[in-house]
Amino acid sequence: MAYRSTERVKARLSASRQRIIAAALEIMAGHGYAGCSVAAVAERAGVATGTVYRHFPTKADLFAEVFRTASQREVDAVARAAAQRTTVAAQMAAVVETFAGRALQSPRLAYALLAEPVDPAVDAERLTFRRAYADLIAGHVAAGVASGELPAQDPELTATALVGALAEAMVGPLAAGVAGPGTIPDLIRFIHRALGVSP
Amino acid sequence: MAYRSTERVKARLSASRQRIIAAALEIMAGHGYAGCSVAAVAERAGVATGTVYRHFPTKADLFAEVFRTASQREVDAVARAAAQRTTVAAQMAAVVETFAGRALQSPRLAYALLAEPVDPAVDAERLTFRRAYADLIAGHVAAGVASGELPAQDPELTATALVGALAEAMVGPLAAGVAGPGTIPDLIRFIHRALGVSP
DNA sequence: GCAAGAAGTGAACCACCATTCAGTCCTTGC
DNA sequence: GCAAGGACTGAATGGTGGTTCACTTCTTGC
């Protein structure tokens, strides 16, 4: 036995894997999922197409991970913003501002993550993305109901509906390229009403 | 010139076209968009695959029309239900009940119309579907604001967000096959709060 | 009945792209 | 240096399913 992979190689492999994921993300941000052929991803990552398959069994597996990575980044940013506020009203305002602000920064990527037609196996990953947002929101809503800041309601349903509302309200602006200046404040008012925040 | 198409032939052509659309709808209701190969649609319609292409230039064109037809039917049903009520609160309750009730009657079709991964050209048609709902709702909201039943708000944004909320809240139940018994009343309460209906 | 021309047929075609694999290059331990 | 075995390559492969088209069948006006 003359070969047993060493730390150095493991690190290189891992770096290579990360480069592939990063390349896929960059292409998604530039040309959407539609532009993400395996060959294009490989070229941008500086490897041969075959190499992609040493890291991921199928294209769907690769993009499941790409979606997972990107989604986690988004959800984390929103969670961090919300955590800095104390009232549910302020927390939800932070959620909207962060979510919408980031989406408008990278509209093509946001569109790919939210709504672009993708392989069904990748689409499944999208569900967990939305679920992560819903869980985050549901936690704040449940706390608000418990503290009496919000009226009694099913936090799960409220959170799911709010995620849908947020996503839908962003798809138009993302397609158009910009949001009207009043969109975000209006959306915050809508969501405050929906939560039952007292005015 | 020995041939100029007559009424009888025109009627037959139109009937054939309708049969193709109907067949596509039936397959969507049974197996989703994924089951809709052109060959399968043709077989169900009782024509050869080539015949489909005498009526529609591409598969995407066929399904754009299929989506348009199915969507119109849904929107009409919802509009009709809402039109029978007098207050905005009751109208929106009717919207939710009709939308959700019909979706749960034909979950596979509803899923295909709302969320299943489809060809991008067909996806575009989905946007107009959602837009039609949003316009319907926006009309009622605007009337409610004008009459003082609802507080001041941007009817367009409210309507868009509500469409997103409705769709998102249905995707889970559609995937699961059933909705919990409380889902629809809870959703109506959510939407009433979001509109600012006074309790 | 017949010529002209449209509608209908379905097997063959083909574009696209994910996936593979035989050959080459590297890394490791001795 | 060298043998063993992994990593890398990228041109070739293959499956899928939308699309075509040469041919057949039907309609029409005379």
Side-chain angles (χ1 to χ4, degrees), chain B residues 130-143:
Chain B
R130 291 182 166 221
R131 169 122 231 107
Y133 273 123
D135 287 346
L136 169 64
I137 292 174
H140 290 296
V141 172

Side-chain angles (χ1 to χ4, degrees), chain A residues 3 12 22 25 48 50 56 76 83 91 116 120 136 148 150 164-165 173 176 183 191:
Chain A
Y3 186 98
R12 183 156 51 82
L25 254 172
F56 304 93
D76 284 351
Q91 285 161 349
E116 187 175 0
L136 168 63
L150 300 181
T183 302
I191 284 179

Side-chain angles (χ1 to χ4, degrees), chain B residues 15-61:
Chain B
S16 185
R17 186 190 170 89
Q18 287 312 116
R19 266 216 322 289
I20 291 168
I21 292 173
L25 254 170
E26 287 161 23
I27 295 178
M28 279 231 297
H31 309 288
Y33 182 79
C36 291
S37 70
V38 174
V41 170
E43 183 180 358
R44 182 163 195 121
V47 299
T49 51
T51 303
V52 172
Y53 287 86
R54 314 206 118 255
H55 293 284
F56 304 94
T58 68
K59 183 187 184 183
D61 285 284

Side-chain angles (χ1 to χ4, degrees), chain B residues 103-136:
Chain B
L104 292 169
Q105 288 294 309
S106 321
R108 199 72 175 80
L109 181 60
Y111 174 68
L113 290 176
L114 283 174
E116 186 174 0
V118 298
D119 189 72
V122 179
D123 202 47
E125 205 55 42
R126 193 135 71 186
L127 290 185
T128 74
F129 173 37
R130 291 182 166 221
R131 169 122 231 107
Y133 273 123
D135 287 346
L136 169 64

Side-chain angles (χ1 to χ4, degrees), chain A residues 15-16 23 32-33 39 46 62 71 80 103 116 125 162 179 181-182 184 198:
Chain A
S16 186
Y33 182 79
L62 162 59
S71 302
R80 222 175 304 119
E116 187 175 0
E125 204 57 41
L162 287 184
I184 291 181
S198 45

Side-chain angles (χ1 to χ4, degrees), chain A residues 82-154:
Chain A
Q84 293 178 335
R85 314 294 179 89
T86 49
T87 65
V88 177
Q91 285 161 349
M92 293 306 304
V95 167
V96 176
E97 282 159 3
T98 309
F99 176 85
R102 291 178 63 92
L104 292 170
Q105 287 294 309
S106 320
R108 199 73 176 78
L109 181 61
Y111 174 67
L113 291 176
L114 283 174
E116 187 175 0
V118 297
D119 190 71
V122 179
D123 201 48
E125 204 57 41
R126 193 135 70 185
L127 290 185
T128 73
F129 173 38
R130 292 181 165 221
R131 168 122 231 106
Y133 274 122
D135 288 346
L136 168 63
I137 292 173
H140 290 297
V141 172
V145 171
S147 77
E149 188 186 341
L150 300 181
Q153 59 194 284
D154 176 357

Side-chain angles (χ1 to χ4, degrees), chain B residues 7 64 166 176 186:
Chain B
E7 282 310 311
L166 255 178
D186 279 352

